Structure formats: structure tokens, C-alpha cells
């Protein structure tokens, strides 16, 4: 078997991701209450609970359709800036992309690279602004580096998850420049950004699912 995920595997991976985000609702709420509106955990759980429901209820003909379902469901159910930004994370990368029956590490890296570009354009945030971009950018860089080195999918996703976590930790060193957190100024130092934490959870769950369900399918 090749080192790729077919459509059903991508669907099941994102079901797992959705479950991980839903299970993190309390953690995200505690983090967001410190320098945010306190509703990030609730919104993320609401969006990904619907994602899991939609994925389980539907059949998909391409990887693109799975990504589109995840992104559109987040956009429709979460609302507000978070809905738009997390929807962008999953939708923008597959816009104009030829329908894929399977996806390898290089293709996955390119999808998230394109999404990162769209995310930065839409949210106007850059690394160091204490937003989800701080986690997405190093995750994408790690995926691209792993793909260029010819690493297996499981290893590449583990590197992506490590990059997202490092980016999330980096937000503790940054002063917030967006949203409610901006009003805390220097007081936001030492605290992680809730959106970056969510991104870290998403990439960690993707890596975990592949490690548990696909790591032996290389050859």
C-alpha cells in the first residue's frame, strides 16, 4: 500500500480531530477566559460537534469534499471571526484543486500552505501577533520540510504537530494585537492564545490518528 490516505481515511481522521476538539472544550474555555471572551471553547466544540455529525452522515467522492464539508460546517455553525478563520483553514486550500481520490504528505502540505496564505490575507495577522497564525505557520513549514525530505506521512504529520505546539507555546511570549486580548496589552504576556491552542489540538489529533491507523501502510 502507498503512503497515502484515501477519501474514507481522511473522513475518519477528521472525525477523530472533531472528537479531540470537542473533548477540549473545558480546557479552551479556561484559556480564553483569561484574555478573551471566554467563549472559544464553546464555539469550537459547537462547530466540531456538527462537523463530526456531518462527516458521519455523508459519503464523499473526493478528499476535497471532505475538507469542504469540515470548513463549511465550521463556517455555518461557529459564526463570528472564529468561524470564518477556522473555516478558511479547511476550505481555502482545496479551492481550484483537482478532485483527489487520495492524499499524500506533499499534497496535504500544499493544501495547508495555501490555507495559511488565505488565513493571513483574511485575518491580517502575522507571526508574533498572538493568533492562530502563530501555530499554523510553523505547522505548515514542518509539513513542507518533511515532504521535501521524503518522510513518511506519519512522521511528517508528527513534525507538523510539533510545529503547531511550538507555535502555540510561542504565543506566550507575544503581546496580543487582535481581538479582545489586545486590550490586555502587556498583561497578555505569559498566556497562550486560545486559537493557537485549538490549531495545536487539530494537528496533534491528525498525527495521532495517522500514527494509530495508518503508520503501517507504508510501502
Amino acid at each position: 500500500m502507498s503512503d497515502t490516505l484515501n477519501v474514507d481515511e481522511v473522513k475518519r481522521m477528521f472525525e477523530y480531530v472533531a472528537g479531540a476538539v470537542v473533548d477540549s472544550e473545558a480546557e479552551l474555555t479556561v484559556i480564553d477566559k483569561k484574555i478573551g471572551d471566554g467563549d472559544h471553547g464553546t464555539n469550537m466544540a459547537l462547530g466540531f460537534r456538527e462537523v463530526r455529525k456531518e462527516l458521519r452522515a455523508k459519503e464523499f467522492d473526493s478528499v476535497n469534499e471532505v475538507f469542504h464539508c469540515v470548513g463549511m460546517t465550521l463556517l455555518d455553525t461557529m459564526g463570528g471571526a472564529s468561524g470564518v478563520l477556522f473555516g478558511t483553514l479547511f476550505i481555502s486550500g482545496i479551492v481550484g484543486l483537482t478532485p483527489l481520490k487520495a492524499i499524500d504528505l506533499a499534497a496535504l502540505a500544499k493544501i495547508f500552505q495555501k490555507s495559511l496564505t488565505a488565513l493571513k490575507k483574511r485575518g491580517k495577522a502575522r507571526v508574533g501577533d498572538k493568533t492562530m497564525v502563530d501555530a499554523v505557520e510553523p505547522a505548515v513549514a514542518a509539513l513542507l520540510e518533511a515532504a521535501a525530505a521524503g518522510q513518511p506521512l506519519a512522521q511528517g504529520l508528527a513534525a507538523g504537530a510539533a510545529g503547531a505546539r511550538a507555535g502555540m507555546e510561542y504565543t506566550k511570549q507575544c503581546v496580543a494585537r487582535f481581538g479582545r486580548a489586545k486590550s490586555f496589552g502587556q498583561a497578555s504576556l505569559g498566556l497562550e492564545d486560545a486559537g493557537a491552542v485549538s490549531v495545536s489540538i487539530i494537528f496533534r489529533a491528525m498525527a495521532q490518528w495517522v500514527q494509530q491507523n495508518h503508520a503501517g501502510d507504508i510501502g
Side-chain angles (χ1 to χ4, degrees):
M1 297 179 70
S2 62
D3 193 22
T4 62
L5 299 178
N6 62 32
V7 177
D8 184 62
E9 287 172 323
V10 174
K11 169 183 168 176
R12 288 189 284 126
M13 178 179 72
F14 282 134
E15 285 182 23
Y16 183 83
V17 169
V21 175
V22 170
D23 291 344
S24 302
E25 179 178 357
E27 173 192 354
L28 292 171
T29 296
V30 169
I31 292 169
D32 194 43
K33 278 184 176 178
K34 295 176 181 175
I35 53 172
D37 295 325
D39 61 355
H40 184 72
T42 303
N43 282 337
M44 292 297 291
L46 173 65
F48 276 91
R49 197 173 283 116
E50 289 301 313
V51 164
R52 187 167 54 185
K53 187 185 302 181
E54 288 293 314
L55 290 176
R56 287 174 175 172
K58 294 181 178 178
E59 296 296 328
F60 303 93
D61 292 326
S62 70
V63 170
N64 315 45
E65 290 180 3
V66 181
F67 271 82
H68 187 265
C69 176
V70 174
M72 286 304 300
T73 303
L74 294 177
L75 192 61
D76 290 343
T77 57
M78 289 175 63
S82 291
V84 172
L85 295 175
F86 278 90
T88 296
L89 180 64
F90 291 95
I91 295 172
S92 296
I94 50 95
V95 172
L97 188 67
T98 301
L100 302 172
K101 293 297 184 183
I103 190 168
D104 61 10
L105 179 60
L108 191 66
K110 288 179 181 176
I111 286 174
F112 280 115
Q113 181 184 34
K114 190 174 177 182
S115 290
L116 172 63
T117 299
L119 191 64
K120 293 168 74 173
K121 183 177 181 180
R122 178 155 292 170
K124 311 298 183 188
R126 297 291 182 268
V127 167
D129 287 339
K130 204 179 186 78
T131 72
M132 63 187 287
V133 169
D134 288 307
V136 177
E137 185 152 310
V140 169
L143 291 177
L144 290 169
E145 184 177 349
Q151 293 181 4
L153 179 62
Q155 191 173 339
L157 271 172
R165 180 171 180 79
M168 178 270 287
E169 293 288 345
Y170 169 66
T171 62
K172 296 178 182 177
Q173 306 173 31
C174 304
V175 175
R177 297 191 177 92
F178 285 89
R180 181 176 174 80
K182 181 181 177 181
S183 63
F184 284 79
Q186 293 292 320
S188 66
L189 285 172
L191 301 171
E192 64 269 74
D193 173 71
V197 176
S198 288
V199 170
S200 180
I201 291 168
I202 289 168
F203 278 91
R204 183 180 66 201
M206 291 170 61
Q208 286 176 339
W209 189 89
V210 170
Q211 183 64 40
Q212 294 168 9
N213 296 279
H214 190 76
D217 291 348
I218 303 171

